[in-house]
Amino acid sequence: MDKYPDQKRDAAHLYPPVEPFDQRMLSVGQGHQVYVEQCGNPDGIPVVVLHGGPGGGCSPAMRRYFDPKIYRVVLFDQRGCGRSTPHASVTDNTTWHLVADIELIRSTLGIDKWMVFGGSWGATLALIYAQAHPEAVRHLILRGVFLMTQAELDWFYGGGAGRFWPELWARFVNLIPEDERDDLIAAYHRRLFSGDLRVEQDYGRAWAAWENALASVHSDGVSHGGPSAYARAFSRLENHYFTNNGFLEFDGQILEHMGRIAHIPGVIVQGRYDMICPPSGAYALAERWPNADLRMIRNAGHALSEPGISAELVRTMDRIGQR
């Protein structure tokens, strides 16, 4: 979940803009081409950035959380979104395809072990990747934790968050006939995959608008979901993954498998007033992870661009880099 709804407010805490020293399209199989870039120090500490969504894509601001003299920063757009192709495709697009893509990127770039930095769905993917390949991960830095559980989906698409934003919830729900409102993920799925481009774009903007409007603690509730092409890809991919419960074997799998990565050090940066991914998930994760340092950020919501979250993430990466 989330891309970058409001990056201007966090700029004071970030490093200056930096351009990539390497950009490429990587063939990952099944007809997918994934955009990959590297910036910072080619000989620095490697860190891979996992964006949110699924379907959010990377942005130039994501390069700026790392001291470019210390870190070799790898960013990529996950299958079907951003600059990766085919755009908005959910064919051969699962969590396990993404895990394999991350490993292919690591081996292609000749990296032995790297840090994994991810927020929202990026935190979900970071945890699943680490549990599948613990030997490749030296540190986990997570933000706005999402554990891909039914309870979290029920909170956001079943009316929990809607109790705090009833007018926005009504706008999201009222686009669906009453006899379909018992399962809004399924109802939106039918429209996002209708085959009618106009319908897919309209419902894509509505799906993205509901989420983006709640991303920041400073939100005034105004969100239009972004440009049609972006909103359609974001919403189709996110809905596809949620329809399939993240392609996990069982509900609660991430917490159940934390023993596999208990030895890996980690930092969890969580907004106290996160409406999309409530702090209870981050707390439950920290309880299962003895090597994790949980940092609750007051007066912050979900977005990467929240000033308190940005400042803490930069401090965290500086501290780790200095060590």
Side-chain angles (χ1 to χ4, degrees):
M1 297 180 179
D2 110 347
K3 191 181 183 188
Y4 42 96
D6 185 6
Q7 291 176 345
K8 293 182 179 179
R9 292 184 293 101
D10 66 342
H13 304 288
L14 306 182
Y15 282 94
V18 60
E19 293 300 314
F21 65 78
D22 172 45
Q23 294 174 288
R24 65 181 83 184
M25 296 296 292
L26 180 65
S27 178
V28 295
Q30 300 87 40
H32 284 272
Q33 299 281 326
V34 167
Y35 171 81
V36 182
E37 68 175 43
Q38 299 185 78
C39 61
N41 181 354
D43 298 316
I45 303 168
V47 54
V48 62
V49 178
L50 306 183
H51 66 68
C58 287
S59 75
M62 294 179 183
R63 307 167 185 161
R64 300 175 59 191
Y65 287 80
F66 314 93
D67 186 335
K69 296 178 181 178
I70 293 177
Y71 287 104
R72 174 186 179 185
V73 184
V74 180
L75 301 95
F76 73 100
D77 292 332
Q78 295 160 28
R79 293 189 182 206
C81 68
R83 289 146 288 189
S84 296
T85 61
H87 189 69
S89 173
V90 300
T91 302
D92 296 310
N93 194 336
T94 72
T95 305
W96 305 108
H97 285 105
L98 301 186
V99 167
D101 293 349
I102 297 169
E103 271 297 273
L104 180 60
I105 293 168
R106 185 179 67 84
S107 62
T108 299
L109 298 181
I111 294 171
D112 180 33
K113 298 181 72 168
W114 53 7
M115 298 183 184
V116 183
F117 180 105
S120 197
W121 162 255
T124 318
L125 185 57
L127 288 162
I128 295 170
Y129 169 73
Q131 290 173 357
H133 299 282
E135 72 288 346
V137 179
R138 59 194 295 178
H139 215 115
L140 284 165
I141 303 91
L142 310 178
R143 185 268 313 168
V145 168
F146 176 56
L147 297 174
M148 195 59 255
T149 64
Q150 188 61 49
E152 290 165 308
L153 295 179
D154 290 344
W155 161 261
F156 201 66
Y157 298 105
R163 295 187 178 188
F164 290 85
W165 291 89
E167 71 280 23
L168 299 185
W169 177 245
R171 188 186 309 167
F172 181 67
V173 171
N174 288 344
L175 291 173
I176 302 298
E178 287 189 25
D179 62 352
E180 295 184 64
R181 292 178 188 173
D182 61 321
D183 188 343
L184 290 172
I185 293 176
Y188 269 86
H189 184 86
R190 285 187 281 273
R191 290 153 179 85
L192 291 169
F193 294 89
S194 67
D196 183 324
L197 181 61
R198 179 65 179 272
V199 170
E200 291 180 2
Q201 289 177 339
D202 288 347
Y203 280 86
R205 283 194 298 269
W207 177 279
W210 163 241
E211 182 169 325
N212 289 343
L214 272 64
S216 173
V217 74
H218 303 285
S219 174
D220 58 6
V222 177
S223 174
H224 303 290
S228 295
Y230 163 75
R232 175 175 175 266
F234 173 85
S235 301
R236 278 167 58 91
L237 266 67
E238 192 169 80
N239 182 282
H240 165 68
Y241 273 75
F242 295 168
T243 296
N244 290 282
N245 301 112
F247 300 93
L248 300 183
E249 294 177 9
F250 59 90
D251 194 35
Q253 177 176 320
I254 292 175
L255 288 182
E256 192 65 27
H257 287 174
M258 282 308 296
R260 299 180 180 182
I261 59 172
H263 62 287
I264 298 176
V267 177
I268 304 167
V269 177
Q270 177 71 37
R272 175 67 72 182
Y273 300 107
D274 189 332
M275 294 297 298
I276 297 175
C277 300
S280 55
Y283 182 80
L285 180 64
E287 288 288 283
R288 296 284 191 103
W289 190 5
N291 263 332
D293 180 7
L294 173 60
R295 298 176 187 170
M296 290 284 190
I297 308 302
R298 65 188 183 95
N299 300 329
H302 182 73
L304 174 63
S305 59
E306 299 279 48
I309 289 176
S310 287
E312 187 58 45
L313 286 170
V314 171
R315 280 194 297 268
T316 294
M317 298 313 299
D318 284 350
R319 188 162 48 244
I320 295 172
Q322 290 165 4
R323 289 204 301 264

